[in-house]
Amino acid sequence: MKKTKLITLLGAISLIGAIGAGSTFAYLTSTTGTVTNTFTVGNVNFDDDPLTGGLSESKVARDENSNLYVDADGTGEWTVKENKYEDLVAGEVVYKDPTVHMADDSQDAWVFAKIVNENPELTITYASDWVDVTDAYKTAQNLNNIDYKVYAKKDVISKSAHSTIFEEVTVGNNVTENTTFTDIKVSACAVQAAGFANYTDALAQVSFN
């Protein structure tokens, strides 16, 4: 009788073991949705409007009353790429306002201007928010002697914004009827603001074409 019970017990244990070995466990799991990251490259652009082309100035004309060259376009308008100043006299102050225009889709930028003025008798008065960085530019670009000035906008210029580099040019007191002038030429370069703490840091990236 005892022998039979032992066999029966062992058979039961064997059966349970077989069930355990043949079953699978259902672990608790969960999944999330997919996070998609899209990367695109921005741009730094001047306005491509054919009227301004990124750099333009106000049309000037002699005022009938003062006989001085003044802004003939009105505030906030820059419609020409060239002005002609005729019959200048010693000490005369003429209006000239080269202005940079950023595109509507441009990234924030540090903006620089190259000014070629080979006329010792024409003195430019620069806007207070533009600073002379000629020496720092030469160092950053490994240049020695250059025949132009480089100015930087002190603050970042954002999309759709404008900034006037200067508004006045003064004729020297020593001009005579035989004095001749060469053109004052202005060009600009924009460098992305991201990655550069200030305009000085961005000088090595400046390129005037």
Side-chain angles (χ1 to χ4, degrees):
M1 183 67 180
K2 292 183 180 179
K3 184 176 181 182
T4 303
K5 289 183 178 180
L6 179 59
I7 293 172
T8 302
L9 180 61
L10 290 175
I13 293 174
S14 177
L15 178 61
I16 293 172
I19 293 173
S23 65
T24 58
F25 293 94
Y27 293 100
L28 300 178
T29 62
S30 179
T31 58
T32 69
T34 301
V35 174
T36 302
N37 296 290
T38 302
F39 297 87
T40 59
V41 178
N43 64 81
V44 172
N45 283 330
F46 289 111
D47 186 358
D48 60 359
D49 186 300
L51 205 60
T52 63
L55 178 66
S56 61
E57 59 187 29
S58 300
K59 182 178 181 180
V60 299
R62 282 204 181 272
D63 180 74
E64 293 181 357
N65 298 317
S66 65
N67 200 37
L68 298 175
Y69 277 105
V70 296
D71 180 357
D73 279 337
T75 304
E77 297 291 333
W78 303 272
T79 64
V80 300
K81 305 288 285 184
E82 178 182 7
N83 277 299
K84 291 185 179 181
Y85 300 85
E86 300 176 324
D87 300 324
L88 297 174
V89 297
E92 182 174 359
V93 178
V94 300
Y95 190 86
K96 185 176 180 64
D97 64 344
T99 300
V100 294
H101 315 277
M102 301 307 296
D104 293 343
D105 62 347
S106 177
Q107 304 296 309
D108 292 351
W110 298 110
V111 179
F112 304 85
K114 172 185 176 182
I115 300 94
V116 180
N117 177 20
E118 300 174 343
N119 307 286
E121 291 294 340
L122 294 179
T123 303
I124 298 172
T125 302
Y126 289 89
S128 60
D129 55 347
W130 286 77
V131 60
D132 187 347
V133 294
T134 306
D135 290 339
Y137 170 76
K138 288 192 295 184
T139 299
Q141 297 280 345
N142 294 315
L143 301 174
N144 293 319
N145 297 319
I146 56 176
D147 58 358
Y148 55 87
K149 290 283 189 180
V150 177
Y151 272 70
K153 178 73 165 62
K154 291 181 180 179
D155 304 310
V156 167
I157 302 183
S158 302
K159 64 181 180 181
S160 304
H162 314 276
S163 183
T164 298
I165 304 165
F166 58 87
E167 290 186 347
E168 290 183 354
V169 177
T170 303
V171 181
N173 292 323
N174 296 321
V175 298
T176 68
E177 61 183 11
N178 296 319
T179 301
T180 59
F181 299 115
T182 59
D183 295 342
I184 293 177
K185 298 178 180 179
V186 181
S187 57
C189 173
V191 177
Q192 68 178 58
F196 301 102
N198 51 53
Y199 56 81
T200 303
D201 289 348
L203 277 171
Q205 309 304 318
V206 175
S207 176
F208 295 107
N209 297 323

